[in-house]
Amino acid sequence: MAVSSPPRSGAPERARRAPGLGARRLALLGPALTWWLVLLVAPVLLILAYSIFRRGIYGGVVYDATFDNFDRLFDPLYLRVVWFSVRVALITTVLALLIGYPVAWFIATRPARWRTALLVLIVLPFWTSMLIRTYAWMALLNDEGLINNWLESIGLIDRPLKLLYNEFAIVLGLLYTYLPLMVLPLYAAIERLPRELREASHDLGAGAVRSFLTVVLPLTRTGVAAGCLFVFVPALGNFIVPELLGGGRRQMVGNLIQVQFLEARDWPFGATLALAVMVLMGIFLFAQAKLAGKDRVEA
Amino acid sequence: MRGTWIKLAVAATLALGVSACGAEVQKSGSTSSTGAATSADAAPDTGTPRGGTLTISNWDKYMPENLIPDFERETGIKVKVAKHATNEDIMGKLEAAQGGGYDLVFVSAPFAESLARRGWAAEIDPAKVPNLRNLAPEARELAYDPGNRHSVPYTWGTTGLCYRSDLVRGTPDSWNDLLRPSDDLKGRVTMLGTDRWLLLPALKTLGYSANTTDEGELNEARDLLLDTKKDLLAYDDTTFYDKLVSGEASLVEAWDGWCNYGIAEDRRIRFVVPREGSDLWVDTMVVLDRSENKDAAMQFIDFVLDPANGRGVVDLLSYKVPNQAAMDGLDPRLVRQFPNLGMTPQELLRGENLQDLGEGQPYWSRIVSEITS
């Protein structure tokens, strides 16, 4: 393809075999490619298209192009919502990392037969609907809930702690929901880490902290970046947790988008907001890819 | 109003902007375009349906389970039921198919109004729906569609205060009991979070229309609601009656039918419509203009308006129906258990009909964001 690139060994053979392979390749790639086109590319293009049109009087989309939606995007009101979402997602990500790293480390250093079982335990919550698990948290945290009732019964508190319908509950809910997504990539990174490297650093006189900071952490950086991304991205867009655990008192950007589509029937503005979130996430993805790419070169 | 669980689940898909496009249910062949099934007495329902096929979309679990099988048996018309999670969901599907794909849809009144204004709703032919006579006279002259020209009401009700009589002193009778709660109720009240009902109590207290699009009036309502927010436990559209049952809340803004779900679990729960007035919400049946089976669709509406079938709806949902013949035949014990089922159409009509906000909708959503961000 790239005509100007210098010839590499083996390239001519590949080129000669290409036609036959191409058809087979296409057949094999077909399902995935269709999936990708229909469920990813097409909707994104649709969002892109909607974002430059206007809402009709009775909902729907009126097809005269305008940039009004982008003007509205920079309304301080909506920027405040976006900032709140980013802050909550960041706090969630940092906490998930602090909790997830030791957990992943613990699992990765168990004997092989235990690891699978422990990993299954980590993934287990995903087998239940997220909605149901969120409602379960409401049952635990509310003023008359299990936690408050128990604390009162042992005399530790005499009036219920405000555990629900605030930012604390939102972060807790998001942390609980997405923690497995932090643990899994960290586990993969830590498990790949040769024991010998740690032993060598100890032998060369590094203490536990130094060994962790200069050897282990840099070598598991890809896992950290992937985990942070896996937590940050969905936490930013989640709207069920703020609505249920946050008591609907603080909108996050996911709620804002949901309201545009389902209540305001303002698809164009909803699409513009979705686009903005995608761009934001794209930036984070790009940063992560850079980081991972650098690792690969070093390795 | 209903199916908010599903709303959340479906909205999860929508959240990232993956809008549903294309109606998923297509009519299976339009072979019998006449569609009229006049003989209700003929042979068992095997083989090809006598009366053609009818495609209906409704909220999940919003009609009695036996309604469709009974209708098929009686008329020989085959019915396909599609489900929508929200009004917006079905409107989106109709949008994508330019008003096609369905013969009849269940939507709330403002959406029926919008379907009619777009010319997508067929005219209801009173001659083909004799059971229209079962409707309360008030239900035939509703503001969004006087004379039932494009829609027929299915259920209706209002919004008010649902409270635990043992946890609230006296009998609340004003929206102010919610908006400016007394000290013992602070942090123990919830409000509905969906735009129309979020603003309703404030607008009514200030003496404005629930359909106002005046920015000054909306701003005033916002300021009042921002004050209330400090004393609010939560905005809650789905579990407010559970919060009363558990004792987490003492007083909540609630739809009448949903308050009944609380009453069913705890007899100390009561419902009251505040003296400043409230809304009148109506869910309707609309026949699509592009339907090739309009006669069968009218026949379905007629079947729903049968008194016994109307009672089935009340039994299932604990909602009031505008079908007066059905309401008159309710089991008195049911009305004793859920007193708000005894509200008369005249009482309901004191509520203001919710109408489409048209051009005013974006400002409404902005106000909602200002309150909840």
Side-chain angles (χ1 to χ4, degrees), chain B residues 57-121:
Chain B
S57 190
N58 195 353
W59 287 276
D60 196 14
K61 298 191 175 67
Y62 204 46
M63 49 189 170
E65 271 177 32
N66 62 325
L67 189 76
I68 297 293
D70 287 355
F71 176 73
E72 290 182 329
R73 205 174 314 114
E74 191 165 306
T75 61
I77 297 168
K78 181 104 187 63
V79 182
K80 276 191 192 172
V81 181
K83 287 165 188 163
H84 53 260
T86 60
N87 284 304
E88 180 54 33
D89 183 10
I90 183 64
M91 293 299 275
K93 288 174 182 169
L94 289 172
E95 185 85 41
Q98 286 300 300
Y102 300 90
D103 298 300
L104 185 148
V105 295
F106 286 73
V107 289
S108 300
F111 296 84
E113 190 182 351
S114 139
L115 285 174
R117 291 210 190 163
R118 283 189 186 193
W120 288 354

Side-chain angles (χ1 to χ4, degrees), chain A residues 121-161:
Chain A
L121 286 179
I122 293 286
V123 188
L124 203 62
F126 283 128
W127 295 1
T128 313
S129 147
M130 186 200 155
L131 211 51
I132 291 173
R133 288 182 285 134
T134 307
Y135 277 109
W137 272 111
M138 293 173 76
L140 285 174
L141 297 175
N142 78 56
D143 283 1
E144 306 288 328
L146 287 174
I147 294 174
N148 270 318
N149 277 349
W150 179 69
L151 288 176
E152 276 173 87
S153 73
I154 61 167
L156 215 58
I157 52 172
D158 51 9
R159 95 168 58 143
L161 297 174

Side-chain angles (χ1 to χ4, degrees), chain A residues 236-299:
Chain A
L236 185 68
N238 189 299
F239 63 93
I240 291 175
V241 168
E243 180 161 335
L244 294 180
L245 299 184
R249 301 170 68 100
R250 291 303 299 268
Q251 268 192 345
M252 284 176 58
V253 67
N255 305 88
L256 201 55
I257 296 173
Q258 182 219 1
V259 163
Q260 299 309 321
F261 278 97
L262 294 182
E263 277 175 31
R265 282 178 288 142
D266 194 343
W267 292 14
F269 186 50
T272 310
L273 284 164
L275 199 65
V277 173
M278 277 194 287
V279 168
L280 203 62
M281 288 174 180
I283 294 171
F284 283 105
L285 271 167
F286 183 74
Q288 194 262 354
K290 273 277 186 217
L291 203 61
K294 214 169 110 203
D295 260 19
R296 223 172 286 131
V297 172
E298 279 170 8

Side-chain angles (χ1 to χ4, degrees), chain A residues 39 43-44 46-47 50 54-61 63 72 75-78 80-81 129 131-132 135 138 141-145 162 164-165 237 239-240 243-244 246-254 256-267 270-271 274-275 277-278 281, chain B residues 4-21 86 88-89 91-93 95 110-111 113-114 117-118 187-188 193-196 229-239 243 246-248 356-362 365-373:
Chain A
L39 293 178
V44 168
L46 210 60
I47 288 173
Y50 275 167
R54 278 193 310 114
R55 171 190 192 272
I57 301 181
Y58 300 109
V61 180
Y63 296 96
R72 283 167 74 189
D75 184 327
L77 170 66
Y78 300 126
R80 200 168 72 210
V81 174
S129 147
L131 211 51
I132 291 173
Y135 277 109
M138 293 173 76
L141 297 175
N142 78 56
D143 283 1
E144 306 288 328
K162 283 284 162 210
L164 196 54
Y165 314 125
F239 63 93
I240 291 175
E243 180 161 335
L244 294 180
R249 301 170 68 100
R250 291 303 299 268
Q251 268 192 345
M252 284 176 58
V253 67
L256 201 55
I257 296 173
Q258 182 219 1
V259 163
Q260 299 309 321
F261 278 97
L262 294 182
E263 277 175 31
R265 282 178 288 142
D266 194 343
W267 292 14
L275 199 65
V277 173
M278 277 194 287
M281 288 174 180
Chain B
T4 310
W5 276 59
I6 313 154
K7 165 180 141 186
L8 285 168
V10 166
T13 331
L14 279 166
L16 291 171
V18 189
S19 56
C21 52
T86 60
E88 180 54 33
D89 183 10
M91 293 299 275
K93 288 174 182 169
E95 185 85 41
F111 296 84
E113 190 182 351
S114 139
R117 291 210 190 163
R118 283 189 186 193
R188 300 186 52 82
T194 306
D195 50 4
R196 304 307 298 266
K229 189 176 174 183
K230 298 185 204 102
D231 301 325
L232 211 61
L233 179 65
Y235 296 105
D236 188 346
D237 283 350
T238 45
T239 62
K243 288 189 168 81
S246 74
E248 213 187 332
D356 194 276
L357 297 168
E359 298 278 20
Q361 180 72 63
S365 328
R366 195 177 191 287
I367 290 282
V368 170
S369 289
E370 284 180 29
I371 296 166
T372 58
S373 68

